[in-house]
Structure formats: C-alpha cells, structure tokens
Amino acid sequence: MEERHIPDSAIILYHQALKQLDKAPNDTLKGDIYNRLGDLLLDHNLYETACDSYQQAVVVSQGLDDKSNLSHAYRGLGKYHFLYKDRDSVLFYFEKPLQFFNQIKNQEEQSSVYNNLASAYKQQSNIDKALACNARALSLTRDEVKRLRNYAVRGQLFALQMQYDSALFYLEQASHSRETSVKASAYFKLADLPEEAGIADSLKYRYLQEAYRLSDSIENSAVSHQIDRQEHLRITADLKEKSHTRLLVAITICVVAVLLLSVAVFLFYRRHLRRRNEQLFAHKWKKQEARAQENESRELQLIDIIRKAGEGCSRDFKAAPAYSLWYPKISSGKESLSYDEQKQFQTLVVKAFDPYLKQLSNVVPLTGNDAFLCALIQLGFSTRECATCRGISNETIRSQRTRIRKKIPENFLEQGLGTVILGEENLSKR
C-alpha cells in the first residue's frame, strides 16, 4: 500500500501488525514497523505523530543486540528536528548512532548514519566534516539509488568550496538517478554553477527547465494527507462486516470499465482530430510558437526583476537593527507574538519590502496577509516562524502558500516564479 501511494491503508495495516505482535512479541519487527510508520508520517507532513513513532521505536529497540532499528529511530528524530531547523537537536540525534556504531549490523544503515551527519554538518557550514562523512557513507553503501543521492550531496559540498570541476562531475552523475527528487536537486545545483565550471547559459536554461519539470511532478505526487488512524480503522472494520462488499466491487469494476472505454474512445477521436488538423493549422502553430518564445523571454526578465528586488529587500532588512530585535523573539520556539506585536512587525516588514511587493503585485494579485507571507519567505523564515508571526497554525501557513501558488499565472509558474517567491522544500528522505 505504501509503494502504491495509498498511505491511509498502509498506516492501518502497520497498526494491525503491531496489534498482532502483542500476542507474539518480536521487538525487532516491532521496531522496524514503528520506524516505517515514522518515515511514512514524516513524508506526509504529520511531524508530531511521526516523532511519537520514532520514540516508540527507540523504546522497543534499546535492548536488542542489533542496533540497526535503534539507529534508524534516532535518525528519524534527527530528521524531525531538521525540518524544524533545530540545529543543536539535529546534530545530537544524528551523532547518537556513533555511540554504538559497531553494533549496527546493517551496512546500509551504517551508510545512512554518515549520510545524515553530512547533511547536519552542511547545515552548520562545516564543509570539511560534511565531506568526510559523505565519503564514509559512499564507502559503505551498495545501493545504487543511495549512492547517487550521496553523489548529489557531494557535488553540492564541492560547489560550496568552489571546487567546480569536482562539483560538476558528481552532480552530473547524480542527475542520472532513478529517484526524481535527487534528479531535480542535481539539476538545480548544476544550473547554479558559475561559468568557471563550464556551464554555458544554454546549459543553465536546459537544467532549470528539467529541474522545474521534475519539481512539478514531485509536488503533484507528494500531496499531504490528513490521516486519522482511529477513524480509518473503524471504517475498515465496518466495511468488512457488510454483506454488500461484493456488489460494491462489481459496480466499481463496471464503472472503471466504462471509464476506460470512454477514455479509449476519446483518445482515438482526439488522435484522429489532431491528424486531420495538422496540415490546416501548421502555419498558425508556427506563429504561435514564435509569439510564445517572445512572451517567455519577457516573463523571464520580469521574474529576474522580482527575484533581485526580493533579495535586495531581504538583505537590507536583515542589516537593519529591527531584524536583530525581532528575530530572536520569533525563532525562540515559544508562544506566538501578541496581537499588537503581530501588527507592528507586519507593518515594519511590509514597508521594508514595498519595492519587492510592488513588482510582485504586477504579476500576482496579493492580499495583505499574502504580501506579508511572501516577505517572510524571502527572509528565509520557516513555516513555524511564519506561523509565530501571524499567530496561526503551521497547517494554515501551508494552505496559504498553496493558495498563493494557485494565483500565479500558469505561464509564470512554468518559468519558475513559484520557486522565486515561495522557496524550495527540504527533502526529508535524505
């Protein structure tokens, strides 16, 4: 169910398996299931529930001779804090497995330990340690997907050290990965390499186009699911007790068959229509293509203007005394700002980002709260910090980001304006 992207059913079955293990205890299997639950919940943005699963995995795995599950659980807790940008806790949990490293019998788990440590040291700008951990992870792994994922990280680290030849080599290797997120990350980093690396403008454009295409496919497939375990378990039990299950299955098969037949007829008619009109509209398509290229160039120029305006406003605001005064309150992890503080900070930020927001509003219609969120994102604020500034929940911030993205005209969205104003999500599978 998890591999078929049906997380609700996967969670139900994992919990049923844990219930069966109450009758026949098996701590190794139980720890593995809790870790799988944690990974699945983390992937679908249910962070607190994922954290509980990893903590359960730690409890049941403590007494085992093989510490592979315990290591996995500590890494999961590290990822949880990584997503909340709690750097001290990230390094604490990622370094935990080193205390019993020789008792980790799964070599791929050993590789993952060093892989996560490389990410933690990179976050702290300790590139030399990050490279050393990355090399250790590569020496341990035998998995092709994980190897290319490590190549992508290694390329990024060499780029930070301005060793562009090495960065280019590893990023190009990573771009051949079967994992979509790794390919997208590699293409983005290849496009960021300077001319000294031998990346021409035409190559940058091709890399960016491929990266945006892959990012869109990731976003479409990585939809967050609000999963209520108890309700789904109750619904599943009720369905099993009903005597009309076979009838429902038969009806479903008939409906699917009719839909498939309709799709087949539609595709046949569409292909026939396309062939008939190709010669008739050949000249028209050629003109439209030329016009589209002209519009694309104009859109890219506007996006660049917006990007530079945002970077300038962010740089100036961070250099101002007001930023040093307000940011510690926001990033402390305590309760939200008071209502008066929220209004005061919003007025200050919106005024400072007025040049950026004016440029952006020429393309995207924004409400006052939308403009405030766009400015906070330009400052690099996390979802939790944005929620603190507004006095609302993290989920509301994510919903607002989605609404803003939907307001972006499709032609600008395809050229990457969504990435410029909303930023990029961290990959939790690394």
Side-chain angles (χ1 to χ4, degrees), residues 22 31 38 64 77 88 109 113 146 151 234 314 319 380 385 430:
D22 291 337
L64 298 175
L77 291 170
D88 293 335
E109 176 58 28
V113 170
K146 188 182 292 185
Y151 275 173
R234 183 186 63 79
S314 178
E385 292 168 345
R430 179 174 298 167

Side-chain angles (χ1 to χ4, degrees), residues 303-317:
I303 290 172
D304 191 55
I305 292 172
I306 293 171
R307 178 183 61 78
K308 289 180 179 178
E311 291 174 352
C313 291
S314 178
R315 183 175 55 253
D316 294 343
F317 187 78

Side-chain angles (χ1 to χ4, degrees), residues 148-149 151-152 168-180 182-188 190 206-207 210 214:
L148 293 178
R149 190 185 305 162
Y151 275 173
L168 179 61
F169 171 79
Y170 285 108
L171 289 172
E172 284 184 338
Q173 292 290 319
S175 68
H176 298 295
S177 173
R178 298 193 304 273
E179 193 173 31
T180 306
V182 174
K183 292 182 70 173
S185 175
Y187 279 127
F188 273 121
L190 282 168
R206 183 171 66 83
Y207 288 143
E210 187 64 12
L214 292 169

Side-chain angles (χ1 to χ4, degrees), residues 393-410:
S393 67
N394 294 353
E395 189 59 37
T396 303
I397 290 294
R398 296 189 189 97
S399 299
Q400 187 180 357
R401 287 170 63 103
T402 301
R403 289 196 300 271
I404 294 173
R405 182 177 177 83
K406 290 181 179 178
K407 292 181 180 180
I408 302 174
E410 186 66 27

Side-chain angles (χ1 to χ4, degrees), residues 95-106:
E95 287 182 338
K96 270 280 189 180
L98 296 180
Q99 299 173 9
F100 47 81
F101 190 81
N102 291 334
Q103 295 175 271
I104 301 174
K105 297 181 181 179
N106 187 320

Side-chain angles (χ1 to χ4, degrees), residues 347-364:
T347 301
L348 185 66
V349 171
V350 170
K351 181 178 179 181
F353 277 80
D354 184 62
Y356 166 68
L357 296 174
K358 282 182 177 178
Q359 293 292 345
L360 183 57
S361 62
N362 291 331
V363 179
V364 183

Side-chain angles (χ1 to χ4, degrees), residues 8 11 35 45 64 106 112 138 158 161 207 338 349 359 396:
D8 298 28
I11 287 179
N35 281 328
N45 303 324
L64 298 175
N106 187 320
S112 295
L138 281 168
F158 277 126
Q161 286 193 330
Y207 288 143
S338 68
V349 171
Q359 293 292 345
T396 303

